[in-house]
Structure formats: structure tokens, C-alpha cells
Amino acid sequence: MVVARVAAFAVVCCVIWPGSWGETDHTRCPVSFLGRCSCGMGFSRYDTFKEKKYTVNCTNTGFTNVTLLQDLPDRTEVLIFTGNTIPILPFNVFSNMVYLDFLETIDMSNNHIKFIQGRTFHKVYNVKNLILSHNNLEITDDKERPRVFSNFENLERLVLTNAFSEDSNSSDYLLSLEDIFYESELVYLKILHLEQNEIWTIGDNPKIFCQLPALEQLHLGQNRLFDFDFRIDCLHSLLYIDLEMNIIPRLSDDAMTRLDSVLEPTNKSLQIKMTENPFSCDCRSKNFVHWLNTTKVKVMEWEQYTCLDGYPENNIGKHLGEVHELKCPSVHGNSVKARSENIANYDSGIYPPDDHANHPHYHGYSSGTIGALSFFLVFTSSLLLAVAYFHRKNLQNIVLPYWDFITRKIGYTGLSNDEAPHEVNV
Ligand SMILES: *[C@@H]1O[C@H](CO)[C@@H](O)[C@H](O)[C@H]1NC(C)=O
Ligand SMILES: *[C@@H]1O[C@H](CO)[C@@H](O)[C@H](O)[C@H]1NC(C)=O
Ligand SMILES: *[C@@H]1O[C@H](CO)[C@@H](O)[C@H](O)[C@H]1NC(C)=O
Ligand SMILES: *[C@@H]1O[C@H](CO)[C@@H](O)[C@H](O)[C@H]1NC(C)=O
Ligand SMILES: *[C@@H]1O[C@H](CO)[C@@H](O)[C@H](O)[C@H]1NC(C)=O
């Protein structure tokens, strides 16, 4: 009885919608969807609710495989398949027999996806919008699949928010991601989301985004970046970089130069968002604050950013726009200059590693600590040098044999060591 009614309903459906194939049930989805999904016209949040789209929605439906997607109606424009448990996406998720000419959005977020096979997605030539957020993607294993996105010929927006397994170090999977971008030829990609991926540096492959020539927006918020450390001179369409909620105390001189240089020859505009970073308002940030106030890069609302740390201490809690005094912490009041130079050198290179290695408390170190440490360092080095000077004769006797040994070693590899004394056998 029920079967007969469902079958009759399906026939009616097929008459009303000549585009759909196979039997459908009361959800208007194919029967293989087991009545768990919904199919029909609906406003799409992926185009900010502008138009109604034919939407297939399988949200929190408990599927553990994607066999049903073989029956995806060919008129589908938006596929939402989220909140299921699909550790491995198999080959050919969609049927080879169906043309999915209208499919423009695929949302497969929150599915515990670990592996995507190289040939998972076919028939996705018109998809503009791919969302794979909140999965456990593994892309660093030896079965590299650099062509996973290669059939998304027209992809414009790729959302990989919190998409990668927390088991792998971001600097490893970013290397794999660069291969993926390179092999997949995403030449129309405009928007890339990589928020919440524990990314702490992009410096190991600074050209990663150069594989995306049409990129306009790069979203890197809520990561653990401590500087802007990748290249954008290759991105001629770039308009916006989101770096909010990272752990940037200030931009390095190098970062500021790189940002300025992309704007130089043309009238391009570039916006950067850096809200809610733990800014440090002491002498080391002088260049940064000056840059904010003068650069053509539009650092959005920078005057409102808050100093989490600083010197003088009354800078702490102030907005960057109201800070007028940026000093180095002093212990006694004299020799401040020497120390500030010391710190300036420290700052001009790569940021010291232990400043970003562990941040249980988004805080960095206090400027007072740095001042005291630098002072101690200078003091101890001077003391050692003085001692060394007074005992230089003794030292010579101790050090020379080793020096000889070392220079001989070097000598073997082709460097001459003629001046080294020869009285000690090695
Ligand atoms: C998809 O279905 C879920 C649960 O049935 C619902 O909460 C959600 O709003 C639907 N999404 C769209 C875009 O229709
Ligand atoms: C796929 O999932 C459906 C529904 O959960 C189940 O009935 C079917 O047996 C599964 N197929 C395979 C090949 O595991
Ligand atoms: C990632 O690896 C780098 C070096 O390979 C290491 O310095 C860093 O601490 C690692 N980060 C995490 C979060 O494990
Ligand atoms: C740059 O912009 C200014 C004012 O917006 C305009 O007058 C000028 O022609 C532009 N120059 C180029 C090279 O586009
Ligand atoms: C920014 O520059 C203006 C004028 O050039 C100056 O009056 C102002 O104090 C500067 N602001 C900061 C925060 O440096």
C-alpha cells in the first residue's frame, strides 16, 4: 500500500518536474536519500539569500557513506551535505551518468572527512563555491593527492575553516596545500578561507598563494601567526587580507616593506584587518605605529586596536591611535640607549622563536623583563670579555690547539689554513 502510494507520488513528481530522474518520496528527494534530506527551492545563504535555488539539504542525517549522492537530482544548484560521518570520500562521489550543469555550491562541512581521493569530484565544472570547513583533513600522508580540486574549473570561493587535522603541524600541511593549489589550477579562485587552522607561520612556503592568480580575499583570522610572513607581490587582484585574532605584537619591518611595495607602482588598494591581536606598544613598535599612520595600505580601524603590552606601562590598554610615547623599559634610567639599540637589532631580524612558540596566555613577555634581560646580557658579556682580555695569554694556550684542529678540518675541505700554527699534533 505505502509502496504503491510512494510510487504514484513519484510518478506525479516526475511529470511535474521533467528534469528529475528516478523515484522521489515525500521529501521530494530520491528514495535512496531515505527520507532524511530535503529537496526543493530555497533561498541560499551562499549567495546571501538573493535568489531561490534548487537545494538538496542533508544536514545531520547520520549518513556514513555517500552512495546516495549518485542519485543527486541533475537540477541541483546547492548541495548541503553536512553533519554526517564520512571519514573517506571515495572516487566519483557523483554519478558519471548525470550532468550536474547547475551545481554551483557544495557544502560538505562538518563530516569528519579525513581523506579526499584524487578522483573524488567529477562533474563539478560549474561549482563556484566549495565549503569543507570543520573536517579532519589529512593531506600530508604519503598518498599525496595534489589534484583533489582540479575538476573545480570555475571555483571562486574555497572555504577551509578549521578543515585540517590537528594531528599535523600547519607548516607541514601548508606545503602539501601549495602542491594542491599548484596542481589544481584554480585560476578563478577569488576567496580563500583558512581560519582556525593553527597556522603559526607561512614563512616555510611564502609563495603558497602565488598559485592562485585571481585571489582577491585571503582570510587567515583566528590562527597563530606572529607576523605577516608570506608573499603577495604575485597576487595582482588582492584586495583584502584578514589577520584578525592572531598573535601579532607588531609587524616586522620586512612585512611592512612587502605590504607597501605591492601598492607602489599602481593605484591599487589593499585592506588589512588586524583586530584583536596582542599588540605590544613599546619602543620596538615605533616603526609599526609610524607605518600605520602613514602607509597607503588601509589597515582597517587601526586606531581602535588595543595595546596588550607596552612601555611606558600606561600604554597598556590604550588604543594604538592614542599612544604617543613608545619607550624601552629602563631599570636605572641610564644606558637606556644601549639597550634600546640592542632591542632594535633583536627586532629587525626574524622574530625570536620563543616569543611565539607557546602562548597559553596571549601575552608575550613584558617589556620590563626584556629590558632587564638585555641589561644582564650586556653586563655579562662585558665581564667575560674583560676577564678574557686579562687572561689572554693563558687562553691562547688553551684555545689554539682547538683552533688548529678546526682549521685543519676545514683545510681538508678546500680552505687554506696556512696561518695556523703547527706545534700541536692532532
Ligand atoms: C538544512 O536543513 C537543516 C536541518 O534540517 C536546517 O536547519 C537548515 O536551515 C537547512 N539549510 C538550508 C540552507 O536550507
Ligand atoms: C550506505 O549507508 C546506507 C544508509 O546509512 C546504508 O543503508 C548502506 O548499506 C550503506 N552502503 C554501504 C556500501 O556501506
Ligand atoms: C611545528 O614544527 C616546527 C618545526 O618543524 C616546530 O618548531 C613547531 O613548534 C611545531 N609546532 C607545533 C604546534 O607543533
Ligand atoms: C590614480 O588615482 C588618481 C586619483 O584617484 C587618479 O587621478 C590617477 O589618474 C590614477 N592613476 C593611475 C595610474 O591609475
Ligand atoms: C599620525 O600623524 C599625525 C600627523 O602626521 C600626528 O598628528 C599623529 O599624532 C600621528 N598619530 C600617531 C598615533 O602617531
Side-chain angles (χ1 to χ4, degrees):
M1 279 294 279
V2 177
V3 176
R5 231 183 299 157
V6 168
F9 187 62
V11 169
V12 173
C13 291
C14 291
V15 171
I16 295 172
W17 296 314
S20 59
W21 294 72
E23 294 176 69
T24 60
D25 58 20
H26 68 282
T27 62
R28 293 180 289 169
C29 295
V31 287
S32 56
F33 285 43
L34 304 179
R36 298 181 192 173
C37 307
S38 67
C39 299
M41 299 301 289
F43 283 106
S44 167
R45 67 183 154 108
Y46 306 99
D47 66 358
T48 58
F49 305 97
K50 270 190 288 207
E51 279 176 71
K52 282 195 167 181
K53 302 270 162 90
Y54 191 87
T55 304
V56 172
N57 182 354
C58 304
T59 297
N60 299 332
T61 36
F63 286 111
T64 53
N65 63 58
V66 289
T67 316
L68 73 157
L69 294 181
Q70 295 286 318
D71 299 329
L72 188 69
D74 61 358
R75 59 188 301 211
T76 305
E77 294 171 281
V78 176
L79 168 62
I80 304 171
F81 189 85
T82 65
N84 300 291
T85 307
I86 317 288
I88 299 180
L89 281 185
F91 292 151
N92 295 345
V93 164
F94 304 120
S95 168
N96 262 328
M97 313 298 287
V98 179
Y99 288 94
L100 296 170
D101 288 346
F102 304 103
L103 188 58
E104 58 172 49
T105 295
I106 298 177
D107 182 350
M108 287 204 169
S109 45
N110 201 12
N111 281 325
H112 306 274
I113 301 171
K114 208 167 171 188
F115 297 114
I116 301 178
Q117 311 287 349
R119 285 178 286 141
T120 287
F121 293 106
H122 274 118
K123 308 283 178 181
V124 289
Y125 36 81
N126 281 330
V127 172
K128 295 193 166 59
N129 212 348
L130 174 63
I131 299 136
L132 287 170
S133 305
H134 308 295
N135 281 301
N136 299 319
L137 292 180
E138 273 280 357
I139 56 172
T140 52
D141 64 329
D142 43 0
K143 281 185 249 150
E144 272 218 1
R145 303 167 184 91
R147 296 182 55 78
V148 279
F149 300 136
S150 62
N151 288 323
F152 290 92
E153 294 163 35
N154 284 297
L155 198 65
E156 292 180 4
R157 182 164 172 268
L158 176 59
V159 186
L160 295 171
T161 301
N162 185 26
F164 299 102
S165 159
E166 268 146 47
D167 297 339
S168 49
N169 194 320
S170 76
S171 48
D172 295 337
Y173 69 68
L174 285 177
L175 288 169
S176 304
L177 199 59
E178 181 168 3
D179 290 344
I180 290 174
F181 289 157
Y182 179 73
E183 294 281 337
S184 299
E185 295 187 54
L186 302 172
V187 291
Y188 299 112
L189 195 75
K190 289 186 185 153
I191 304 176
L192 176 63
H193 285 267
L194 281 170
E195 292 102 331
Q196 300 175 25
N197 280 311
E198 285 93 38
I199 299 174
W200 62 282
T201 179
I202 308 179
D204 291 344
N205 46 337
K207 290 173 74 177
I208 177 170
F209 304 116
C210 293
Q211 315 301 335
L212 307 169
L215 199 66
E216 292 178 4
Q217 297 182 19
L218 180 52
H219 297 262
L220 288 164
Q222 299 179 54
N223 279 294
R224 327 242 339 129
L225 291 168
F226 54 90
D227 198 2
F228 163 83
D229 60 352
F230 51 90
R231 283 180 54 179
I232 53 168
D233 51 331
C234 46
L235 299 174
H236 302 293
S237 306
L238 192 66
L239 298 171
Y240 176 69
I241 307 172
D242 168 21
L243 292 170
E244 69 178 331
M245 298 171 102
N246 278 278
I247 51 173
I248 302 173
R250 69 188 66 77
L251 289 181
S252 63
D253 291 347
D254 181 44
M256 295 184 279
T257 311
R258 256 179 300 119
L259 284 165
D260 280 336
S261 67
V262 299
L263 296 187
E264 215 116 86
T266 56
N267 264 355
K268 269 180 58 169
S269 75
L270 177 63
Q271 293 201 355
I272 302 189
K273 190 173 183 189
M274 293 204 290
T275 27
E276 293 193 52
N277 276 282
F279 294 106
S280 187
C281 302
D282 55 35
C283 58
R284 293 170 301 165
S285 295
K286 268 186 185 154
N287 290 351
F288 177 55
V289 174
H290 180 253
W291 178 81
L292 287 170
N293 204 9
T294 52
T295 180
K296 283 194 219 157
V297 177
K298 189 166 184 312
V299 185
M300 297 163 77
E301 295 171 0
W302 67 266
E303 292 91 343
Q304 306 300 318
Y305 299 169
T306 308
C307 305
L308 199 79
D309 193 2
Y311 197 86
E313 262 154 35
N314 63 9
N315 280 349
I316 298 173
K318 272 193 191 168
H319 291 156
L320 279 182
E322 5 171 272
V323 166
H324 295 293
E325 215 183 357
L326 293 164
K327 286 196 171 159
C328 296
S330 64
V331 182
H332 297 300
N334 54 8
S335 80
V336 171
K337 188 152 174 287
R339 257 175 284 134
S340 81
E341 270 162 17
N342 207 12
I343 291 170
N345 289 338
Y346 198 26
D347 193 41
S348 61
I350 294 166
Y351 209 70
D354 50 353
D355 193 29
H356 57 82
N358 43 40
H359 300 264
H361 53 284
Y362 268 38
H363 203 72
Y365 44 77
S366 92
S367 319
T369 320
I370 253 298
L373 278 176
S374 319
F375 178 75
F376 182 70
L377 209 71
V378 170
F379 181 76
T380 336
S381 334
S382 321
L383 207 69
L384 275 174
L385 275 176
V387 169
Y389 183 77
F390 284 116
H391 296 273
R392 58 192 182 279
K393 272 266 142 21
N394 293 344
L395 266 178
Q396 216 164 30
N397 292 339
I398 298 168
V399 168
L400 271 181
Y402 293 104
W403 174 246
D404 188 43
F405 174 75
I406 290 164
T407 46
R408 261 173 206 239
K409 281 276 185 200
I410 291 171
Y412 290 144
T413 66
L415 298 170
S416 107
N417 62 338
D418 288 342
E419 290 116 307
H422 293 272
E423 73 262 36
V424 183
N425 290 325
V426 180

